[in-house]
């Protein structure tokens, strides 16, 4: 249990971090710098993750699903007591905003690094929070509570509930009372879609937070999302550390955050700060937290919620203030007053953060799980990377797909955006589909650079276009040539060991050695052929039937190719994993799949087969064999990575085989359902 110093204050000597991944590493970094030992917890899939290796001690939480591991408050308290920890830091997500967990820690004699349980309980319910703020004079949006009976079963909704939804005016927003991070949130355009949206949101909220309570509020068109960082100590001091702009969101979850907000001038900043401090004082806030607001087009603002924890985007505030928020959390938890550098903090420069996710923006943000073969080259002057992964890490389907937060700081906003975009564009991220190119597209978009974005930015701009591959068609062709030359270098190295020339090579009458490769990249095939003369020099290179003029191979190894085309030398970094070739260069990155000459028999699925896009649990199958479906109809709903994902009919047709049922666990690629297109 926590010890006391000579002045009677708590002294934290060993900290259990009740979380995983990036935030666990972030907390341990500051704790270790303060001389505090750290205990990590890990589920079975996380046993080899970086946060586990960086801890002083580790306690295993048997199982994989969050409900069996990181959401088991009893196991976390037991782990803290078993290892002699003084305190528990919950990070964000999981149990960070659960009053019962904070209370259990305190009952066990542990210091909970966060606000008091009573504050968490009040703010843990968005409904209760809004009522408290309204009483304190903080502006709020109107709210319609949804009774639990309305989301149970498959029947119709009460007429009174529908009428009250009408009063809000359509569209309306369904929100999870206990939630955050966009989970349990749905935009509903009309009455016809309300019942399904309520039940889907309640189901997702119950899975993510253990509480399926949802409510309705108006869906505000083109607002900005502005939040204020607050800090309070046990001696009555409460301060704000300025605002963060978090308007660019997908699925109502932030992916770009910055401080200060380009929409906030000094006068509005003072209003936001005063409202945030008033909100904190109204609930007796202690430790770090965030008060979130909607900034409406007319310049007014309304309270959204109080996040009673450290926010994902806290690094931007750290950059512009020069403060370490985790260190301050620990000091406050020890009972110390906020230091003078907090009460006199000022803004310096501009910071922008992006969330790098293993997800496909072109496929309804479908997350990706698997091996991250390489994760490198992120960083540089003024750039910070907070990641939970490294090269070789396995990204599990059980948890949120965020790989890292990448943050840049510079004297001006334009410089910060340019610095961050360059860091992302130059990164090597191999093995998983990510939103990297989309993030670069956002940072370089005129609307973002002008500072005029709002929460509808990704509704107005097609993610497929905004996130078009940084490597265009011509670049992909050069990358294919580099991949082929790197593969040839590897085969040359292997040939003496094998006692034969690499497969695919032959001698021809001209005395030149030649070979060909065919790759698939971005949905198209690329064919590469080249010849070397007897001296080993590149004699000719042909890509998709066109000769590459003035191509000179300066150097080639299996990992790097230096290629001069038209007098310009470019270095390409190459990694080959099986038949997949990853190429990174100054003109972007490409993933190239080498064609198998003889694919295994029976490896092709029948036409109309729809398979699981990722591992997960089937939660709903609304169709049966023989049903007629229209293009876009939902066929199967899969829960994975803490979100629900719909598999929809690509064309109108008739359902044939249905191979899954609710409750089934499925792997990526598993056959779900077959739809036979209707004959025209």
């Amino acid at each position: 249990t926590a010890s006391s110093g000579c002045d009677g204050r708590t002294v934290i000597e060993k900290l259990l971090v009740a979380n995983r991944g990036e935030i666990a590493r972030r907390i341990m970094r500051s704790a270790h710098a303060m001389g505090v030992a750290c205990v990590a917890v890990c589920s079975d899939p996380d046993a080899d993750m970086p946060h586990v290796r960086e801890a002083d001690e580790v306690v295993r939480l048997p199982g994989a699903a969050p409900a069996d591991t990181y959401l088991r408050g009893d196991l976390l308290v037991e782990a803290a007591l078993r290892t002699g920890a003084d305190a528990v830091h919950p990070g964000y997500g999981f149990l960070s905003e659960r009053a019962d967990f904070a209370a259990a820690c305190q009952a066990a004699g542990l210091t909970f690094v966060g606000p008091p349980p009573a504050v968490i309980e009040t703010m843990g319910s968005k409904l209760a929070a809004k009522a408290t703020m309204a009483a304190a004079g903080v502006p709020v949006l109107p709210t319609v509570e949804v009774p639990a009976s309305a989301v149970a079963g498959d029947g119709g909704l009460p007429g009174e509930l529908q009428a009250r939804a009408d009063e809000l005016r359509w569209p309306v927003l369904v929100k999870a009372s206990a939630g955050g991070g966009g989970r349990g949130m749905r935009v509903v355009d009309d009455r016809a879609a309300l019942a399904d949206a309520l039940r889907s949101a309640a189901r997702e909220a119950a899975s993510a937070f253990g509480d399926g309570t949802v409510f309705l509020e108006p869906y505000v068109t083109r607002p900005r999302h502005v939040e204020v960082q607050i800090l309070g100590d046990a001696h009555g001091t409460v301060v704000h550390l300025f605002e963060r702009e978090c308007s660019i969101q997908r699925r109502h979850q932030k992916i770009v955050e910055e401080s200060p907000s380009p929409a906030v001038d000094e006068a509005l900043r003072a209003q936001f700060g005063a409202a945030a401090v008033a909100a904190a004082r109204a609930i007796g806030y202690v430790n770090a937290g965030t008060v979130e607001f909607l900034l409406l087009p007319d310049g007014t603002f309304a309270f959204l919620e109080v996040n009673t924890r450290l926010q994902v985007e806290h690094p931007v505030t750290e950059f512009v203030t020069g403060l370490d928020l985790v260190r301050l959390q620990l000091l406050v938890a020890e009972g110390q007053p906020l230091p003078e550098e907090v009460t006199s903090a000022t803004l310096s420069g501009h910071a922008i953060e992006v969330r790098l996710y293993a997800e496909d923006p072109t496929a309804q943000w479908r997350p990706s799980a698997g091996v991250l073969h390489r994760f490198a080259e992120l960083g540089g002057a003024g750039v910070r990377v907070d990641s939970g992964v490294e090269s070789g890490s396995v990204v599990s389907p059980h948890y949120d797909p965020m790989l890292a937060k990448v943050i840049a700081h510079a004297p001006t906003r334009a410089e910060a955006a340019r610095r961050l975009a360059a860091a992302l564009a130059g990164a090597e991220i191999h093995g998983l589909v990510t939103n990297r190119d989309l993030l670069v597209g956002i940072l370089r978009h005129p609307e973002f650079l002008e500072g005029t974005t709002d929460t509808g930015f990704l509704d107005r701009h097609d993610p497929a276009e905004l996130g078009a591959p940084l490597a265009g068609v011509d670049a992909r062709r050069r990358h294919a040539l580099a991949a082929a030359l790197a593969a040839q270098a590897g085969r040359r190295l292997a040939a003496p060991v094998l006692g034969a020339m690499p497969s695919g090579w032959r001698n021809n009458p001209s005395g030149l050695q030649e070979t060909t490769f065919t790759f698939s990249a971005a949905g198209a095939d690329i064919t590469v052929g080249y010849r070397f003369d007897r001296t080993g020099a590149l004699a000719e290179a042909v890509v998709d039937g066109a000769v590459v003029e003035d191509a000179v191979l300066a150097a080639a190894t299996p990992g790097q190719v230096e290629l001069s085309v038209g007098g310009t030398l470019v270095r390409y970094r190459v990694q080959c994993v099986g038949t997949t070739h990853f190429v990174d260069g100054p003109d972007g990155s490409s993933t190239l799949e080498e064609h198998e000459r003889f694919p295994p028999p029976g490896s092709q699925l029948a036409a109309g087969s729809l398979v699981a896009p990722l591992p997960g649990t089937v939660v709903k199958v609304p169709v049966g064999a023989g049903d007629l479906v229209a293009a876009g109809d939902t066929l199967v709903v899969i829960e994975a990575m803490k979100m629900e994902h719909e598999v929809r009919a690509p064309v109108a047709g008739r359902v044939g085989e249905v191979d899954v049922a609710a409750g089934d666990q499925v792997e990526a690629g598993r056959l779900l359902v077959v739809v036979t297109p209707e004959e025209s």
Side-chain angles (χ1 to χ4, degrees):
T1 58
S3 58
S4 297
C6 59
D7 58 359
R9 290 176 181 156
T10 299
V11 176
I12 297 175
E13 296 179 345
K14 184 183 289 188
L15 178 71
L16 182 131
V17 182
N19 218 296
R20 64 180 297 277
E22 166 268 322
I23 189 57
R25 298 179 81 187
R26 165 69 191 96
I27 293 165
M28 289 191 286
R29 186 166 67 245
S30 286
H32 279 148
M34 296 173 69
V36 176
C38 293
V39 180
V41 291
C42 74
S43 63
D44 291 339
D46 280 347
D48 295 323
M49 295 298 277
H51 80 275
V52 175
R53 292 197 306 275
E54 293 171 7
D56 301 291
E57 299 174 62
V58 182
V59 177
R60 174 174 169 258
L61 304 174
D68 300 325
T69 54
Y70 299 105
L71 289 173
R72 284 285 302 274
D74 56 335
L75 296 182
L76 296 169
V77 171
E78 179 188 338
L81 296 176
R82 188 194 319 165
T83 56
D86 314 299
V88 174
H89 195 307
Y92 54 71
F94 294 131
L95 297 176
S96 62
E97 294 182 281
R98 289 280 291 271
D100 55 350
F101 179 59
C105 289
Q106 292 185 354
L110 300 163
T111 297
F112 181 78
V113 183
V119 172
I120 299 175
E121 184 172 8
T122 301
M123 295 297 102
S125 163
K126 288 187 174 68
L127 288 168
K130 292 181 74 169
T132 301
M133 292 303 122
V138 179
V140 300
L141 293 172
T143 301
V144 174
E145 297 187 33
V146 177
S149 58
V151 297
D154 296 319
L157 297 175
E160 181 184 355
L161 177 61
Q162 291 182 326
R164 294 199 62 196
D166 289 338
E167 292 174 4
L168 294 178
R169 298 186 179 180
W170 302 95
V172 299
L173 188 63
V174 179
K175 298 180 74 172
S177 181
R183 296 177 182 89
M185 194 178 282
R186 303 285 189 276
V187 178
V188 188
D189 292 322
D190 51 45
R191 271 193 176 196
L194 184 59
D196 282 347
L198 286 171
R199 288 169 185 139
S200 174
R203 203 165 51 233
E204 188 173 271
S207 174
F209 314 113
D211 183 346
T213 304
V214 293
F215 65 94
L216 303 175
E217 66 182 22
Y219 178 70
V220 180
T221 303
R222 302 195 70 165
R224 299 179 78 121
H225 187 132
V226 178
E227 63 188 29
V228 179
Q229 176 71 55
I230 55 171
L231 268 176
D233 63 24
H235 306 276
T237 301
V238 180
V239 300
H240 74 84
L241 294 175
F242 315 108
E243 81 284 351
R244 297 185 288 254
E245 169 94 28
C246 309
S247 294
I248 297 183
Q249 305 175 5
R250 61 98 172 96
R251 282 186 160 182
H252 308 290
Q253 188 172 49
K254 309 159 190 172
I255 60 172
V256 181
E257 298 109 337
E258 59 183 306
S259 182
S261 166
V264 176
D265 58 18
E266 287 299 329
L268 186 54
R269 180 168 296 121
Q271 293 177 46
F272 269 124
V277 170
R281 290 192 182 282
I283 56 177
Y285 203 88
V286 176
N287 215 275
T290 304
V291 186
E292 302 200 352
F293 299 94
L294 278 183
L295 176 59
L296 280 59
D298 64 2
T300 62
F301 59 87
F303 171 83
L304 276 178
E305 60 183 320
V306 174
N307 293 124
T308 54
R309 54 171 168 81
L310 196 66
Q311 288 280 83
V312 178
E313 56 272 23
H314 75 273
V316 296
T317 295
E318 293 184 323
F319 258 137
V320 297
T321 62
L323 300 171
D324 181 336
L325 293 183
V326 174
R327 171 180 172 268
L328 294 170
Q329 283 191 290
L330 295 174
L331 293 178
V332 169
E334 288 183 323
Q336 298 189 41
L338 289 174
E340 193 271 337
E341 64 262 28
V342 175
T343 56
S344 62
T346 58
L347 283 168
S348 175
H350 201 98
I352 306 174
E353 172 182 300
V354 294
R355 303 189 192 185
L356 181 66
Y357 281 101
E359 67 181 13
D360 187 351
T362 69
Q364 298 181 325
W365 313 101
R366 184 175 66 215
S368 177
V371 179
L372 188 62
H373 297 300
R374 183 173 291 172
F375 188 71
E377 302 302 323
L378 271 168
V383 176
R384 166 177 160 181
V385 181
D386 287 8
S387 71
V389 297
E390 59 189 15
S391 295
S393 292
V394 177
V395 177
S396 167
H398 298 288
Y399 313 116
D400 186 274
M402 188 171 74
L403 301 177
K405 306 178 312 196
V406 188
I407 315 100
H409 180 242
T412 68
R413 185 173 184 269
E415 289 177 89
R418 184 168 63 241
R419 180 174 283 176
L420 184 53
L424 289 164
E428 299 177 28
I429 309 169
H430 301 168
L432 298 175
V433 177
T434 74
N435 66 338
R436 184 263 301 272
D437 290 355
L438 173 72
L439 296 173
V440 174
I442 292 171
L443 292 168
R444 292 174 173 171
H445 193 277
E447 189 175 334
F448 177 80
L449 294 174
E450 291 168 5
T452 57
T453 55
D454 54 64
T455 58
F457 179 80
L458 287 176
D459 296 325
R460 295 191 300 277
H461 302 287
D462 181 3
E465 294 181 9
L466 189 61
L470 299 177
V473 174
D474 290 340
R476 286 197 295 273
R477 288 174 175 155
R478 292 190 292 270
H479 293 175
L481 176 57
L485 292 169
Q488 182 270 340
R491 292 176 184 183
R492 274 188 166 180
L493 291 173
V497 178
L498 299 174
M501 290 302 294
S503 62
W505 286 69
R506 64 181 175 84
N507 290 324
N508 60 45
S510 66
L512 300 179
Q513 298 170 334
E514 66 178 33
T515 192
T516 60
F517 286 82
T518 302
F519 301 101
S520 293
D525 288 347
I526 304 174
T527 301
V528 176
Y530 50 81
R531 298 183 299 157
F532 287 84
D533 62 25
R534 287 190 176 90
T535 69
L538 182 65
E540 184 179 58
V542 178
V543 180
D544 284 344
V547 174
V548 181
E549 300 292 345
D550 299 321
V552 178
L553 180 60
T557 68
Q560 181 167 290
V561 171
E562 296 184 14
L563 183 65
S564 175
V565 177
T568 300
L569 181 69
V570 179
R571 293 181 179 87
Y572 293 103
R573 303 180 299 278
V574 183
Q575 183 185 30
C576 180
V577 181
T579 58
T580 306
H581 303 253
F582 303 98
V583 182
D584 301 285
D587 48 3
S589 302
S590 293
T591 300
L592 303 121
E593 189 66 38
E594 187 179 345
H595 281 206
E596 292 187 71
R597 296 188 180 187
F598 305 104
S603 62
Q604 303 300 313
L605 287 167
S609 298
L610 298 172
V611 300
L614 73 171
T617 303
V618 176
V619 296
K620 190 176 181 181
V621 184
V623 298
D627 288 355
L628 285 172
V629 294
D633 282 357
T634 299
L635 306 177
V636 180
V637 179
I638 296 175
E639 181 185 309
M641 290 177 145
K642 301 167 74 173
M643 302 287 279
E644 288 192 356
H645 310 276
E646 296 180 342
V647 177
R648 297 175 178 270
V651 295
R654 187 175 297 276
V655 177
E657 178 184 1
V658 177
D659 200 47
V660 292
D664 287 356
Q665 297 289 323
V666 296
E667 294 298 320
R670 159 80 182 273
L671 177 66
L672 302 175
V673 62
V674 176
V675 176
T676 303
E678 287 185 307
E679 295 183 4
S680 56

